[in-house]
Amino acid sequence: MSEKDSDLKVAAVDDVELSAQPDRTEAGDSSISGARRRSTTRLELWAFYVYYIGNNGLSGFNFGPSQFQNLLFLAGYDPSQPPFTAPCGADTDCVLPYLGRVRDVNSIVLLTNGISFALQAAVLLLIGAWADYGRWRPNITIFFTVLAVAVSFAWLGVDDPSRWQAGVALYILGCTLFAPCMLHSCRLMFVQCALTFWTAAFPGLARDLPEVQDSTEKLIAGEKTPSEHADLESMQRNRISNISFAVCSAGEIVILAVMVGILKGLHSDASTENNTKAFSVLIAFSGGVWLLCALPWFLLEKRRPGLALPAGASMLTIGFKQTWVALRECMRLKQTFLYLIFYFLMGDVLNTTVTVIGTLQNSVVSYSTLQLTLLLIVGIVAQGAGIYLFWLVQKRFQISTKAMLCFNVFWILILTVWGLIGIHTDKFGFKHVWEIWLYQAYYGLMVCPWYAYSQTMISEVFLFFALFSVVGKTSAFIGPLVSSAIITASGNNDNYPFVFLFILGALSTVFLYLVDVGKSRAECEEFIQAEAKREAFADTP
Protein backbone atom coordinates (compact mmCIF):
# COMPACT_ATOMS: atom_id res chain seq x y z
CA MET A 1 0.00 0.00 0.00
CA SER A 2 1.39 3.42 -0.98
CA GLU A 3 1.89 6.30 1.45
CA LYS A 4 -1.00 8.12 -0.25
CA ASP A 5 -3.32 5.11 0.19
CA SER A 6 -2.26 4.83 3.81
CA ASP A 7 -3.16 8.46 4.45
CA LEU A 8 -6.51 8.02 2.72
CA LYS A 9 -7.31 4.95 4.78
CA VAL A 10 -6.51 6.73 8.04
CA ALA A 11 -8.74 9.63 6.98
CA ALA A 12 -11.62 7.33 6.04
CA VAL A 13 -11.40 5.27 9.21
CA ASP A 14 -11.07 8.43 11.27
CA ASP A 15 -14.18 9.88 9.64
CA VAL A 16 -16.24 6.81 10.55
CA GLU A 17 -14.93 6.69 14.10
CA LEU A 18 -15.43 10.39 14.69
CA SER A 19 -18.98 10.30 13.32
CA ALA A 20 -19.73 7.59 15.86
CA GLN A 21 -18.37 9.46 18.84
CA PRO A 22 -20.90 11.37 20.95
CA ASP A 23 -18.52 14.25 21.62
CA ARG A 24 -18.41 15.03 17.92
CA THR A 25 -22.15 15.58 17.76
CA GLU A 26 -25.02 16.62 19.91
CA ALA A 27 -25.28 14.27 22.83
CA GLY A 28 -28.10 11.83 23.14
CA ASP A 29 -28.66 10.98 19.48
CA SER A 30 -29.23 7.27 19.19
CA SER A 31 -28.60 7.29 15.48
CA ILE A 32 -24.90 7.77 16.04
CA SER A 33 -24.40 5.44 18.96
CA GLY A 34 -23.04 2.88 16.53
CA ALA A 35 -20.52 3.14 13.73
CA ARG A 36 -23.16 3.25 10.99
CA ARG A 37 -24.94 6.55 10.52
CA ARG A 38 -28.48 7.04 9.28
CA SER A 39 -28.65 5.85 5.69
CA THR A 40 -29.84 8.18 2.95
CA THR A 41 -33.04 6.77 1.48
CA ARG A 42 -34.18 7.15 -2.10
CA LEU A 43 -37.22 9.13 -0.95
CA GLU A 44 -35.09 11.53 1.08
CA LEU A 45 -32.74 12.00 -1.85
CA TRP A 46 -35.59 12.86 -4.22
CA ALA A 47 -37.03 15.30 -1.68
CA PHE A 48 -33.61 16.99 -1.76
CA TYR A 49 -33.78 17.16 -5.56
CA VAL A 50 -37.36 18.50 -5.62
CA TYR A 51 -36.52 21.29 -3.18
CA TYR A 52 -34.10 22.65 -5.76
CA ILE A 53 -36.88 22.82 -8.36
CA GLY A 54 -38.54 25.38 -6.12
CA ASN A 55 -35.38 27.27 -5.15
CA ASN A 56 -34.46 27.60 -8.81
CA GLY A 57 -33.60 31.29 -8.92
CA LEU A 58 -36.35 32.26 -11.37
CA SER A 59 -37.75 34.89 -9.04
CA GLY A 60 -34.63 35.91 -7.12
CA PHE A 61 -32.10 35.90 -9.95
CA ASN A 62 -34.17 36.24 -13.13
CA PHE A 63 -37.55 37.92 -12.91
CA GLY A 64 -36.79 39.83 -9.68
CA PRO A 65 -33.74 41.68 -11.05
CA SER A 66 -35.50 42.18 -14.40
CA GLN A 67 -38.52 43.76 -12.71
CA PHE A 68 -36.23 45.92 -10.59
CA GLN A 69 -34.35 47.15 -13.67
CA ASN A 70 -37.65 47.59 -15.54
CA LEU A 71 -38.97 49.88 -12.80
CA LEU A 72 -35.75 51.90 -12.84
CA PHE A 73 -35.95 52.22 -16.63
CA LEU A 74 -39.54 53.44 -16.48
CA ALA A 75 -38.68 55.94 -13.74
CA GLY A 76 -35.43 57.12 -15.38
CA TYR A 77 -34.70 59.80 -17.95
CA ASP A 78 -32.55 60.47 -20.99
CA PRO A 79 -29.35 62.21 -19.78
CA SER A 80 -29.01 64.14 -23.06
CA GLN A 81 -32.08 66.12 -22.04
CA PRO A 82 -32.86 68.14 -18.88
CA PRO A 83 -33.56 65.82 -15.91
CA PHE A 84 -36.92 64.04 -16.01
CA THR A 85 -38.08 65.82 -19.18
CA ALA A 86 -37.55 62.93 -21.60
CA PRO A 87 -38.19 59.26 -20.79
CA CYS A 88 -35.62 56.58 -21.46
CA GLY A 89 -35.75 54.99 -24.89
CA ALA A 90 -34.33 51.93 -26.59
CA ASP A 91 -31.60 54.01 -28.27
CA THR A 92 -30.79 56.36 -25.39
CA ASP A 93 -28.90 56.11 -22.13
CA CYS A 94 -31.02 55.87 -19.00
CA VAL A 95 -30.04 57.42 -15.68
CA LEU A 96 -31.39 58.18 -12.22
CA PRO A 97 -30.00 59.95 -9.15
CA TYR A 98 -28.80 57.26 -6.74
CA LEU A 99 -26.64 57.48 -3.62
CA GLY A 100 -25.34 60.99 -4.21
CA ARG A 101 -24.87 61.04 -7.98
CA VAL A 102 -26.60 60.41 -11.28
CA ARG A 103 -25.98 56.84 -12.40
CA ASP A 104 -26.82 54.57 -15.30
CA VAL A 105 -29.66 52.20 -14.37
CA ASN A 106 -27.43 49.19 -15.06
CA SER A 107 -24.91 50.64 -12.65
CA ILE A 108 -27.68 51.07 -10.08
CA VAL A 109 -28.65 47.40 -10.40
CA LEU A 110 -25.05 46.30 -9.88
CA LEU A 111 -24.53 48.67 -6.97
CA THR A 112 -27.73 47.48 -5.29
CA ASN A 113 -26.64 43.87 -5.77
CA GLY A 114 -23.27 44.68 -4.22
CA ILE A 115 -24.89 46.25 -1.17
CA SER A 116 -27.25 43.30 -0.87
CA PHE A 117 -24.40 40.78 -0.98
CA ALA A 118 -22.48 42.81 1.58
CA LEU A 119 -25.45 42.49 3.93
CA GLN A 120 -25.46 38.75 3.21
CA ALA A 121 -21.79 38.63 4.18
CA ALA A 122 -22.60 40.03 7.61
CA VAL A 123 -25.59 37.72 8.14
CA LEU A 124 -23.89 34.55 6.91
CA LEU A 125 -20.67 35.16 8.82
CA LEU A 126 -22.84 35.21 11.94
CA ILE A 127 -25.11 32.23 11.23
CA GLY A 128 -23.47 30.37 8.32
CA ALA A 129 -21.51 28.06 10.64
CA TRP A 130 -24.79 26.84 12.14
CA ALA A 131 -24.98 24.53 9.13
CA ASP A 132 -21.96 22.63 10.51
CA TYR A 133 -22.83 22.65 14.22
CA GLY A 134 -25.76 21.50 16.32
CA ARG A 135 -29.22 20.75 14.98
CA TRP A 136 -30.17 24.18 13.67
CA ARG A 137 -29.64 23.74 9.94
CA PRO A 138 -33.01 22.21 8.90
CA ASN A 139 -34.95 24.79 10.90
CA ILE A 140 -32.94 27.65 9.42
CA THR A 141 -33.59 26.32 5.92
CA ILE A 142 -37.33 26.35 6.68
CA PHE A 143 -37.16 29.84 8.19
CA PHE A 144 -35.41 31.49 5.25
CA THR A 145 -37.49 29.59 2.71
CA VAL A 146 -40.70 30.91 4.27
CA LEU A 147 -39.31 34.46 4.35
CA ALA A 148 -38.25 34.29 0.69
CA VAL A 149 -41.67 32.97 -0.35
CA ALA A 150 -43.39 35.75 1.62
CA VAL A 151 -41.30 38.40 -0.14
CA SER A 152 -42.18 36.81 -3.49
CA PHE A 153 -45.87 37.37 -2.79
CA ALA A 154 -45.15 40.91 -1.61
CA TRP A 155 -44.03 41.77 -5.16
CA LEU A 156 -47.72 41.69 -6.14
CA GLY A 157 -48.03 45.12 -4.49
CA VAL A 158 -45.07 46.59 -6.38
CA ASP A 159 -45.79 47.36 -10.02
CA ASP A 160 -45.47 51.17 -10.08
CA PRO A 161 -42.12 52.77 -11.01
CA SER A 162 -42.93 55.85 -8.91
CA ARG A 163 -42.10 53.87 -5.75
CA TRP A 164 -38.46 53.21 -6.59
CA GLN A 165 -37.13 56.09 -4.45
CA ALA A 166 -39.06 54.95 -1.40
CA GLY A 167 -37.62 51.50 -2.02
CA VAL A 168 -34.06 52.86 -2.01
CA ALA A 169 -34.63 54.77 1.24
CA LEU A 170 -36.16 51.74 2.94
CA TYR A 171 -33.37 49.55 1.64
CA ILE A 172 -30.70 51.79 3.19
CA LEU A 173 -32.56 52.03 6.51
CA GLY A 174 -33.26 48.32 6.61
CA CYS A 175 -35.39 45.65 5.01
CA THR A 176 -38.65 46.54 6.70
CA LEU A 177 -41.43 47.44 4.30
CA PHE A 178 -42.38 46.42 0.78
CA ALA A 179 -40.72 48.46 -1.94
CA PRO A 180 -38.86 47.52 -5.12
CA CYS A 181 -35.23 47.87 -4.07
CA MET A 182 -35.90 46.34 -0.68
CA LEU A 183 -37.77 43.42 -2.18
CA HIS A 184 -35.01 42.66 -4.65
CA SER A 185 -32.30 42.88 -1.99
CA CYS A 186 -34.19 41.14 0.81
CA ARG A 187 -35.36 38.31 -1.37
CA LEU A 188 -31.86 37.87 -2.73
CA MET A 189 -30.57 37.59 0.84
CA PHE A 190 -33.31 35.16 1.91
CA VAL A 191 -32.80 33.01 -1.21
CA GLN A 192 -29.04 32.86 -0.63
CA CYS A 193 -29.46 31.98 3.05
CA ALA A 194 -31.98 29.23 2.28
CA LEU A 195 -29.71 27.91 -0.48
CA THR A 196 -26.68 27.94 1.84
CA PHE A 197 -28.33 25.79 4.51
CA TRP A 198 -30.00 23.46 1.99
CA THR A 199 -26.68 22.93 0.18
CA ALA A 200 -24.97 22.13 3.48
CA ALA A 201 -27.00 18.90 3.66
CA PHE A 202 -25.27 17.61 0.51
CA PRO A 203 -22.05 16.11 1.99
CA GLY A 204 -24.02 14.19 4.64
CA LEU A 205 -26.43 12.78 2.07
CA ALA A 206 -23.54 11.52 -0.06
CA ARG A 207 -21.61 10.08 2.90
CA ASP A 208 -24.70 8.23 4.17
CA LEU A 209 -25.64 6.59 0.87
CA PRO A 210 -25.86 2.81 1.49
CA GLU A 211 -23.22 2.07 -1.16
CA VAL A 212 -20.80 4.57 0.38
CA GLN A 213 -21.40 3.19 3.88
CA ASP A 214 -20.81 -0.36 2.60
CA SER A 215 -17.62 0.79 0.88
CA THR A 216 -16.39 2.39 4.12
CA GLU A 217 -16.96 -0.85 6.03
CA LYS A 218 -15.07 -2.80 3.36
CA LEU A 219 -12.23 -0.31 3.57
CA ILE A 220 -11.97 -0.75 7.33
CA ALA A 221 -12.08 -4.53 6.90
CA GLY A 222 -9.26 -4.33 4.35
CA GLU A 223 -11.43 -5.56 1.47
CA LYS A 224 -11.06 -2.34 -0.55
CA THR A 225 -8.19 0.05 -1.16
CA PRO A 226 -8.40 3.67 0.01
CA SER A 227 -8.13 4.94 -3.55
CA GLU A 228 -11.10 2.80 -4.64
CA HIS A 229 -13.18 4.07 -1.74
CA ALA A 230 -12.24 7.72 -2.37
CA ASP A 231 -13.07 7.38 -6.07
CA LEU A 232 -16.46 5.81 -5.27
CA GLU A 233 -17.40 8.54 -2.81
CA SER A 234 -16.27 11.26 -5.22
CA MET A 235 -18.38 9.80 -8.04
CA GLN A 236 -21.42 9.51 -5.75
CA ARG A 237 -21.05 13.15 -4.74
CA ASN A 238 -20.87 14.12 -8.39
CA ARG A 239 -23.92 11.97 -9.12
CA ILE A 240 -26.05 13.68 -6.46
CA SER A 241 -24.84 17.12 -7.45
CA ASN A 242 -25.42 16.63 -11.17
CA ILE A 243 -28.76 14.88 -10.81
CA SER A 244 -30.04 17.65 -8.52
CA PHE A 245 -29.25 20.23 -11.18
CA ALA A 246 -30.73 18.08 -13.95
CA VAL A 247 -33.96 17.54 -11.99
CA CYS A 248 -34.08 21.26 -11.24
CA SER A 249 -33.72 22.03 -14.95
CA ALA A 250 -36.55 19.66 -15.88
CA GLY A 251 -38.79 21.18 -13.22
CA GLU A 252 -37.97 24.72 -14.34
CA ILE A 253 -39.00 23.92 -17.92
CA VAL A 254 -42.45 22.87 -16.69
CA ILE A 255 -42.70 26.01 -14.51
CA LEU A 256 -41.67 28.27 -17.41
CA ALA A 257 -44.19 26.59 -19.73
CA VAL A 258 -46.94 27.39 -17.22
CA MET A 259 -45.62 30.95 -17.00
CA VAL A 260 -46.00 31.38 -20.75
CA GLY A 261 -49.68 30.52 -20.31
CA ILE A 262 -49.96 33.03 -17.45
CA LEU A 263 -48.42 35.75 -19.63
CA LYS A 264 -50.84 35.01 -22.45
CA GLY A 265 -53.74 35.27 -20.01
CA LEU A 266 -52.46 38.60 -18.65
CA HIS A 267 -51.86 39.95 -22.19
CA SER A 268 -48.40 41.01 -21.04
CA ASP A 269 -47.38 42.24 -24.49
CA ALA A 270 -50.40 44.53 -24.84
CA SER A 271 -48.97 47.44 -22.85
CA THR A 272 -46.12 48.53 -20.60
CA GLU A 273 -48.45 48.46 -17.61
CA ASN A 274 -49.48 44.87 -18.32
CA ASN A 275 -45.86 43.86 -18.80
CA THR A 276 -44.82 45.42 -15.48
CA LYS A 277 -47.71 43.75 -13.65
CA ALA A 278 -46.82 40.41 -15.28
CA PHE A 279 -43.30 40.55 -13.80
CA SER A 280 -44.73 40.73 -10.28
CA VAL A 281 -47.22 37.93 -10.96
CA LEU A 282 -44.45 35.62 -12.22
CA ILE A 283 -42.34 36.33 -9.13
CA ALA A 284 -45.28 35.49 -6.84
CA PHE A 285 -46.06 32.33 -8.82
CA SER A 286 -42.46 31.16 -8.46
CA GLY A 287 -42.70 31.70 -4.70
CA GLY A 288 -45.81 29.52 -4.52
CA VAL A 289 -44.09 26.75 -6.49
CA TRP A 290 -41.07 26.95 -4.21
CA LEU A 291 -43.21 26.45 -1.11
CA LEU A 292 -44.88 23.36 -2.62
CA CYS A 293 -41.52 21.88 -3.67
CA ALA A 294 -39.98 22.57 -0.26
CA LEU A 295 -42.58 20.70 1.81
CA PRO A 296 -41.31 17.15 0.99
CA TRP A 297 -37.76 18.10 2.07
CA PHE A 298 -39.01 19.71 5.27
CA LEU A 299 -40.88 16.50 6.16
CA LEU A 300 -38.50 13.80 4.91
CA GLU A 301 -35.04 15.13 5.73
CA LYS A 302 -33.38 13.06 8.45
CA ARG A 303 -32.24 15.34 11.25
CA ARG A 304 -28.59 14.36 11.27
CA PRO A 305 -26.76 16.00 14.17
CA GLY A 306 -23.87 18.28 13.38
CA LEU A 307 -20.62 18.84 15.21
CA ALA A 308 -20.72 19.72 18.90
CA LEU A 309 -19.75 23.28 19.75
CA PRO A 310 -16.11 23.65 20.80
CA ALA A 311 -15.41 24.68 24.38
CA GLY A 312 -15.84 28.40 24.92
CA ALA A 313 -17.94 28.91 21.77
CA SER A 314 -21.63 29.70 21.42
CA MET A 315 -24.00 29.77 18.46
CA LEU A 316 -23.48 33.54 18.30
CA THR A 317 -19.70 33.32 18.16
CA ILE A 318 -19.01 30.05 16.33
CA GLY A 319 -19.27 31.63 12.86
CA PHE A 320 -16.55 34.17 13.59
CA LYS A 321 -14.47 31.60 15.46
CA GLN A 322 -14.74 29.07 12.63
CA THR A 323 -13.66 31.71 10.13
CA TRP A 324 -10.74 32.74 12.34
CA VAL A 325 -9.64 29.12 12.82
CA ALA A 326 -9.83 28.47 9.08
CA LEU A 327 -7.65 31.51 8.39
CA ARG A 328 -5.27 30.61 11.20
CA GLU A 329 -4.93 27.06 9.93
CA CYS A 330 -4.49 28.06 6.30
CA MET A 331 -0.81 27.17 6.37
CA ARG A 332 -1.69 23.66 7.57
CA LEU A 333 -4.50 23.42 5.05
CA LYS A 334 -2.56 24.83 2.11
CA GLN A 335 -4.57 23.05 -0.60
CA THR A 336 -7.84 24.10 0.97
CA PHE A 337 -6.60 27.67 1.16
CA LEU A 338 -5.67 27.64 -2.54
CA TYR A 339 -9.14 26.45 -3.47
CA LEU A 340 -10.71 28.98 -1.10
CA ILE A 341 -8.95 31.80 -2.98
CA PHE A 342 -10.04 30.38 -6.34
CA TYR A 343 -13.63 29.85 -5.21
CA PHE A 344 -13.81 33.35 -3.73
CA LEU A 345 -12.57 35.01 -6.92
CA MET A 346 -14.17 32.86 -9.61
CA GLY A 347 -17.52 32.77 -7.82
CA ASP A 348 -17.50 36.57 -7.78
CA VAL A 349 -16.49 36.69 -11.46
CA LEU A 350 -19.29 34.38 -12.56
CA ASN A 351 -21.98 36.00 -10.41
CA THR A 352 -21.06 39.47 -11.64
CA THR A 353 -20.69 38.36 -15.26
CA VAL A 354 -24.18 36.87 -15.24
CA THR A 355 -25.57 40.02 -13.60
CA VAL A 356 -23.91 42.34 -16.14
CA ILE A 357 -25.12 40.21 -19.05
CA GLY A 358 -28.57 40.12 -17.47
CA THR A 359 -28.77 43.92 -17.45
CA LEU A 360 -27.69 44.02 -21.10
CA GLN A 361 -30.19 41.28 -21.96
CA ASN A 362 -33.08 43.14 -20.35
CA SER A 363 -32.29 46.24 -22.39
CA VAL A 364 -31.93 44.33 -25.65
CA VAL A 365 -35.35 42.65 -25.34
CA SER A 366 -36.98 45.84 -23.96
CA TYR A 367 -37.93 44.13 -20.68
CA SER A 368 -40.48 41.88 -22.41
CA THR A 369 -41.65 39.26 -19.90
CA LEU A 370 -42.67 36.89 -22.69
CA GLN A 371 -39.35 37.21 -24.49
CA LEU A 372 -37.39 36.75 -21.26
CA THR A 373 -39.45 33.66 -20.36
CA LEU A 374 -38.85 32.07 -23.76
CA LEU A 375 -35.14 32.84 -23.45
CA LEU A 376 -35.09 31.17 -20.05
CA ILE A 377 -36.72 28.04 -21.49
CA VAL A 378 -33.87 27.78 -24.01
CA GLY A 379 -31.33 28.39 -21.26
CA ILE A 380 -32.80 25.82 -18.90
CA VAL A 381 -33.06 23.13 -21.60
CA ALA A 382 -29.40 23.77 -22.44
CA GLN A 383 -28.52 23.76 -18.73
CA GLY A 384 -30.06 20.33 -18.18
CA ALA A 385 -28.37 18.97 -21.28
CA GLY A 386 -25.01 20.52 -20.36
CA ILE A 387 -24.91 19.20 -16.81
CA TYR A 388 -26.05 15.74 -17.90
CA LEU A 389 -23.50 15.57 -20.74
CA PHE A 390 -20.69 16.67 -18.41
CA TRP A 391 -21.73 13.93 -15.97
CA LEU A 392 -21.92 11.25 -18.70
CA VAL A 393 -18.43 12.13 -19.95
CA GLN A 394 -17.04 12.16 -16.42
CA LYS A 395 -18.65 8.82 -15.57
CA ARG A 396 -17.63 7.18 -18.84
CA PHE A 397 -13.96 8.19 -18.64
CA GLN A 398 -13.68 8.40 -14.82
CA ILE A 399 -12.44 11.99 -14.98
CA SER A 400 -11.64 13.72 -11.70
CA THR A 401 -13.77 16.55 -10.32
CA LYS A 402 -10.86 18.98 -10.59
CA ALA A 403 -10.29 18.19 -14.28
CA MET A 404 -13.98 18.71 -15.05
CA LEU A 405 -13.95 22.00 -13.16
CA CYS A 406 -10.86 23.23 -15.01
CA PHE A 407 -12.56 22.48 -18.33
CA ASN A 408 -15.68 24.33 -17.20
CA VAL A 409 -13.75 27.41 -16.00
CA PHE A 410 -12.20 27.85 -19.46
CA TRP A 411 -15.66 28.44 -20.95
CA ILE A 412 -16.53 30.92 -18.21
CA LEU A 413 -13.50 32.99 -19.24
CA ILE A 414 -14.62 32.85 -22.88
CA LEU A 415 -17.91 34.41 -21.74
CA THR A 416 -16.05 37.43 -20.33
CA VAL A 417 -14.05 37.77 -23.57
CA TRP A 418 -17.31 37.79 -25.53
CA GLY A 419 -18.54 40.77 -23.51
CA LEU A 420 -15.15 42.48 -23.55
CA ILE A 421 -15.19 42.71 -27.37
CA GLY A 422 -18.30 44.87 -27.18
CA ILE A 423 -16.50 47.77 -25.50
CA HIS A 424 -15.59 49.47 -28.79
CA THR A 425 -18.13 48.00 -31.22
CA ASP A 426 -21.89 47.68 -31.49
CA LYS A 427 -21.67 44.62 -33.73
CA PHE A 428 -20.88 42.20 -30.93
CA GLY A 429 -20.91 41.94 -27.13
CA PHE A 430 -24.45 41.07 -25.96
CA LYS A 431 -25.99 43.92 -27.96
CA HIS A 432 -28.31 42.02 -30.30
CA VAL A 433 -31.25 39.68 -29.81
CA TRP A 434 -29.50 36.85 -31.68
CA GLU A 435 -26.57 37.09 -29.27
CA ILE A 436 -28.91 36.78 -26.30
CA TRP A 437 -30.42 33.57 -27.70
CA LEU A 438 -26.94 32.20 -28.37
CA TYR A 439 -25.81 33.23 -24.88
CA GLN A 440 -28.65 31.34 -23.21
CA ALA A 441 -27.72 28.12 -25.04
CA TYR A 442 -23.98 28.62 -24.41
CA TYR A 443 -24.48 29.45 -20.74
CA GLY A 444 -26.58 26.37 -20.15
CA LEU A 445 -24.31 23.95 -21.99
CA MET A 446 -20.86 25.17 -21.01
CA VAL A 447 -21.16 27.39 -17.91
CA CYS A 448 -23.90 25.93 -15.70
CA PRO A 449 -21.92 22.78 -14.79
CA TRP A 450 -19.90 25.15 -12.58
CA TYR A 451 -22.64 25.07 -9.96
CA ALA A 452 -22.40 21.28 -9.72
CA TYR A 453 -18.63 20.77 -9.91
CA SER A 454 -17.56 23.70 -7.75
CA GLN A 455 -19.80 22.42 -4.93
CA THR A 456 -18.54 18.86 -5.30
CA MET A 457 -14.94 20.08 -5.25
CA ILE A 458 -15.65 21.87 -1.98
CA SER A 459 -16.79 18.64 -0.36
CA GLU A 460 -13.55 16.96 -1.46
CA VAL A 461 -11.08 19.52 -0.12
CA PHE A 462 -12.44 20.70 3.23
CA LEU A 463 -14.35 19.58 6.31
CA PHE A 464 -16.38 22.77 6.82
CA PHE A 465 -18.60 22.63 3.73
CA ALA A 466 -20.83 25.46 5.01
CA LEU A 467 -17.85 27.81 5.36
CA PHE A 468 -17.10 27.53 1.66
CA SER A 469 -20.76 28.02 0.84
CA VAL A 470 -20.74 31.19 2.92
CA VAL A 471 -17.60 32.41 1.12
CA GLY A 472 -19.22 31.78 -2.25
CA LYS A 473 -22.32 33.74 -1.31
CA THR A 474 -20.62 36.63 0.46
CA SER A 475 -17.73 37.20 -1.94
CA ALA A 476 -20.24 38.24 -4.60
CA PHE A 477 -20.45 41.83 -3.35
CA ILE A 478 -17.00 42.84 -4.65
CA GLY A 479 -17.63 42.32 -8.36
CA PRO A 480 -20.94 44.24 -8.54
CA LEU A 481 -19.57 47.21 -6.59
CA VAL A 482 -16.41 47.43 -8.73
CA SER A 483 -18.38 46.89 -11.96
CA SER A 484 -20.86 49.61 -11.01
CA ALA A 485 -17.99 52.03 -10.40
CA ILE A 486 -16.39 51.05 -13.74
CA ILE A 487 -19.60 51.73 -15.67
CA THR A 488 -19.96 55.14 -14.03
CA ALA A 489 -16.30 56.07 -14.59
CA SER A 490 -16.38 54.95 -18.24
CA GLY A 491 -19.23 57.26 -19.17
CA ASN A 492 -21.93 54.57 -18.87
CA ASN A 493 -20.25 51.96 -21.11
CA ASP A 494 -21.95 48.80 -19.82
CA ASN A 495 -19.35 46.46 -21.37
CA TYR A 496 -16.31 47.87 -19.57
CA PRO A 497 -16.72 45.63 -16.47
CA PHE A 498 -15.77 42.64 -18.62
CA VAL A 499 -12.14 43.84 -18.61
CA PHE A 500 -12.01 43.58 -14.84
CA LEU A 501 -13.92 40.28 -14.84
CA PHE A 502 -11.62 38.64 -17.39
CA ILE A 503 -8.44 39.66 -15.54
CA LEU A 504 -9.83 38.52 -12.18
CA GLY A 505 -11.09 35.24 -13.66
CA ALA A 506 -7.77 34.45 -15.33
CA LEU A 507 -5.94 35.16 -12.07
CA SER A 508 -8.24 32.89 -10.06
CA THR A 509 -7.71 30.00 -12.47
CA VAL A 510 -4.04 29.83 -11.50
CA PHE A 511 -5.02 28.93 -7.93
CA LEU A 512 -7.30 26.12 -9.13
CA TYR A 513 -4.51 24.50 -11.15
CA LEU A 514 -2.27 24.54 -8.07
CA VAL A 515 -4.74 22.55 -5.92
CA ASP A 516 -3.71 18.94 -5.14
CA VAL A 517 -6.79 17.01 -3.96
CA GLY A 518 -4.73 14.11 -2.60
CA LYS A 519 -2.64 16.40 -0.42
CA SER A 520 -5.79 18.19 0.69
CA ARG A 521 -7.27 14.94 2.06
CA ALA A 522 -4.14 14.31 4.10
CA GLU A 523 -4.14 17.87 5.45
CA CYS A 524 -7.81 17.69 6.36
CA GLU A 525 -7.30 14.35 8.14
CA GLU A 526 -4.72 15.99 10.40
CA PHE A 527 -7.07 18.90 11.01
CA ILE A 528 -9.94 16.51 11.90
CA GLN A 529 -7.77 14.77 14.50
CA ALA A 530 -6.73 18.10 16.02
CA GLU A 531 -10.33 19.34 16.09
CA ALA A 532 -11.48 16.09 17.71
CA LYS A 533 -9.06 16.85 20.57
CA ARG A 534 -10.24 20.48 20.55
CA GLU A 535 -6.72 21.57 19.56
CA ALA A 536 -7.80 23.34 16.39
CA PHE A 537 -10.09 25.62 18.34
CA ALA A 538 -7.74 26.15 21.23
CA ASP A 539 -6.37 29.65 21.66
CA THR A 540 -2.88 30.05 20.31
CA PRO A 541 -0.24 30.58 23.01
Side-chain angles (χ1 to χ4, degrees), residues 427-487:
K427 296 180 180 180
F428 198 71
F430 307 108
K431 298 184 178 183
H432 305 279
V433 174
W434 68 266
E435 285 186 274
I436 302 303
W437 286 97
L438 180 60
Y439 158 70
Q440 288 291 344
Y442 176 92
Y443 176 77
L445 286 171
M446 307 307 299
V447 176
C448 276
W450 156 270
Y451 300 102
Y453 286 105
S454 64
Q455 295 293 317
T456 304
M457 186 74 173
I458 293 170
S459 68
E460 294 188 6
V461 299
F462 197 42
L463 172 67
F464 295 116
F465 185 85
L467 179 60
F468 266 106
S469 190
V470 168
V471 168
K473 302 296 186 296
T474 57
S475 66
F477 74 90
I478 298 174
L481 292 178
V482 173
S483 296
S484 174
I486 290 173
I487 290 175

Side-chain angles (χ1 to χ4, degrees), residues 69 75 83 94 131 134 156 160 190 194 212 239 286 304 320 327 400 404 426 457 486 511 533:
Q69 187 179 350
C94 187
L156 290 172
D160 185 352
F190 295 154
V212 175
R239 179 175 69 88
S286 307
R304 296 174 175 86
F320 300 103
L327 293 175
S400 69
M404 296 298 295
D426 291 329
M457 186 74 173
I486 290 173
F511 293 97
K533 300 174 183 178

Side-chain angles (χ1 to χ4, degrees), residues 12-13 15-16 35-40 205-225 228-230 232-233 236:
V13 173
D15 181 57
V16 174
R36 193 178 182 97
R37 294 162 53 93
R38 295 180 179 181
S39 294
T40 301
L205 287 174
R207 185 174 60 250
D208 292 343
L209 286 169
E211 50 266 53
V212 175
Q213 290 181 328
D214 290 342
S215 177
T216 303
E217 292 175 357
K218 290 180 180 178
L219 171 64
I220 296 172
E223 300 174 8
K224 177 176 281 192
T225 67
E228 290 173 340
H229 172 74
L232 172 69
E233 185 170 358
Q236 291 302 320

Side-chain angles (χ1 to χ4, degrees), residues 133-395:
Y133 293 92
R135 304 172 183 269
W136 289 75
R137 184 187 51 73
N139 295 330
I140 298 173
T141 302
I142 294 172
F143 175 73
F144 281 113
T145 299
V146 172
L147 283 180
V149 170
V151 173
S152 295
F153 283 109
W155 270 100
L156 290 172
V158 182
D159 53 12
D160 185 352
S162 65
R163 298 190 63 187
W164 83 272
Q165 288 179 313
V168 172
L170 290 171
Y171 172 76
I172 295 174
L173 293 173
C175 300
T176 53
L177 299 176
F178 299 145
C181 280
M182 184 284 298
L183 288 176
H184 171 55
S185 303
C186 270
R187 193 180 193 287
L188 210 56
M189 182 164 64
F190 295 154
V191 168
Q192 292 282 27
C193 289
L195 193 59
T196 294
F197 286 92
W198 168 79
T199 306
F202 160 62
L205 287 174
R207 185 174 60 250
D208 292 343
L209 286 169
E211 50 266 53
V212 175
Q213 290 181 328
D214 290 342
S215 177
T216 303
E217 292 175 357
K218 290 180 180 178
L219 171 64
I220 296 172
E223 300 174 8
K224 177 176 281 192
T225 67
S227 294
E228 290 173 340
H229 172 74
D231 290 343
L232 172 69
E233 185 170 358
S234 176
M235 292 303 292
Q236 291 302 320
R237 286 173 173 172
N238 279 289
R239 179 175 69 88
I240 292 176
S241 183
N242 283 291
I243 290 177
S244 68
F245 281 97
V247 170
C248 175
S249 299
E252 282 185 87
I253 293 170
V254 175
I255 295 170
L256 288 167
V258 174
M259 286 180 170
V260 172
I262 293 174
L263 294 175
K264 294 293 185 181
L266 293 173
H267 304 288
S268 63
D269 53 353
S271 67
T272 300
E273 291 75 15
N274 284 7
N275 188 66
T276 302
K277 180 180 179 180
F279 267 124
S280 296
V281 171
L282 294 185
I283 295 170
F285 175 72
S286 307
V289 172
W290 184 2
L291 183 60
L292 289 176
C293 291
L295 291 176
W297 177 243
F298 294 164
L299 297 173
L300 296 174
E301 181 189 8
K302 290 182 174 65
R303 300 300 180 101
R304 296 174 175 86
L307 300 173
L309 285 172
S314 69
M315 294 303 286
L316 293 178
T317 61
I318 186 59
F320 300 103
K321 193 160 189 175
Q322 186 191 77
T323 303
W324 162 245
V325 168
L327 293 175
R328 193 184 74 196
E329 299 294 321
C330 66
M331 288 300 99
R332 292 172 56 193
L333 300 172
K334 294 180 182 179
Q335 304 305 316
T336 296
F337 188 61
L338 288 173
Y339 188 73
L340 179 64
I341 297 174
F342 161 76
Y343 189 68
F344 183 94
L345 297 176
M346 183 55 74
D348 195 19
V349 168
L350 180 56
N351 288 334
T352 307
T353 298
V354 171
T355 302
V356 173
I357 295 174
T359 61
L360 297 172
Q361 172 182 272
N362 292 333
S363 300
V364 169
V365 302
S366 302
Y367 306 96
S368 168
T369 49
L370 182 58
Q371 184 91 317
L372 288 170
T373 303
L374 294 175
L375 282 166
L376 281 172
I377 290 176
V378 172
I380 299 305
V381 170
Q383 171 184 300
I387 291 173
Y388 189 63
L389 287 173
F390 267 63
W391 163 240
L392 285 180
V393 170
Q394 181 185 22
K395 183 180 179 181

